[in-house]
Amino acid sequence: RIERINKINAVSIIEKPCESCDIGFEAGLSERIIEGLVSASGFIELTYLQVLMDKLCKTAGRNNADFPFIHFQDLKKVGTIGDLLSDFLEEQISAMENAADGECILKAMISSDGTKRSVNIEELINLVAPQLKGITGDKINELIQYLIKVRIVSEKDDQGCYELRHDSLAKRIYQWLTTGEKDVLQIKQLLENRYLEYEKRKVL
């Protein structure tokens, strides 16, 4: 598995392939790309860097096939990391044989305020069972493994939980929710908060 990289390594990963393929780029462009992709932990997902560079290189080729060159304005046209990942998410889900099941799984991995949340297989079964009648743990695991493979969901952590790789993905998935689904999420959050309060104070 290719791991995430830090900002220092990212510069050479952007620039050297471009130089090898005779694709020019404006000075400072690599640093600007990194600023948009780096996570709070200071690392960059190579999949997302690949998606962005693919778009930029294709644009450069269309603009000038003989002497492709990437400009700052090309990066600006691509949009934010949120726009990029939204397109990436839509493409990967559309490629699924059972896209509706995949959407249902992803909806269960966001919180009531549209951010990502960690869940284990047992929680996922409980959350998606009303929508996906008769779905098994094995089937959910199969779906999760696909979402991991296409770099939408992170590998299982030490607590056995999964989560989305980026909050921008969560924001996009939140837009898929119906008004009723958003209401249910908010009610669940309210109940969970009240229960945690009870656990602390032992007062109903």
Side-chain angles (χ1 to χ4, degrees), residues 84-183:
L84 179 71
L85 295 187
S86 290
D87 292 343
F88 176 69
L89 174 65
E90 299 280 358
E91 290 168 4
Q92 300 306 320
I93 294 301
S94 297
M96 291 182 70
E97 182 179 344
N98 41 1
D101 292 355
E103 284 187 23
C104 190
I105 295 291
L106 292 174
K107 286 179 180 180
M109 302 181 76
I110 58 173
S111 64
S112 59
D113 59 355
T115 56
K116 60 184 183 180
R117 58 176 297 206
S118 297
V119 290
N120 57 37
I121 291 293
E122 289 74 23
E123 289 174 305
L124 279 174
I125 292 173
N126 291 331
L127 290 168
V128 305
Q131 290 79 36
L132 306 179
K133 302 295 185 182
I135 193 165
T136 63
D138 288 342
K139 184 60 178 178
I140 288 179
N141 189 60
E142 180 184 320
L143 292 167
I144 284 289
Q145 292 308 311
Y146 171 83
L147 296 170
I148 290 172
K149 180 181 177 182
V150 297
R151 312 297 279 181
I152 291 174
V153 173
S154 297
E155 294 276 356
K156 184 166 57 176
D157 63 19
D158 294 339
Q159 285 72 48
C161 293
Y162 303 93
E163 69 174 12
L164 298 169
R165 284 189 170 271
H166 202 283
D167 271 326
S168 293
L169 296 171
K171 290 177 182 176
R172 180 61 181 142
I173 294 165
Y174 187 73
Q175 294 174 1
W176 296 349
L177 297 177
T178 64
T179 301
E181 288 172 330
K182 290 177 181 177
D183 288 343

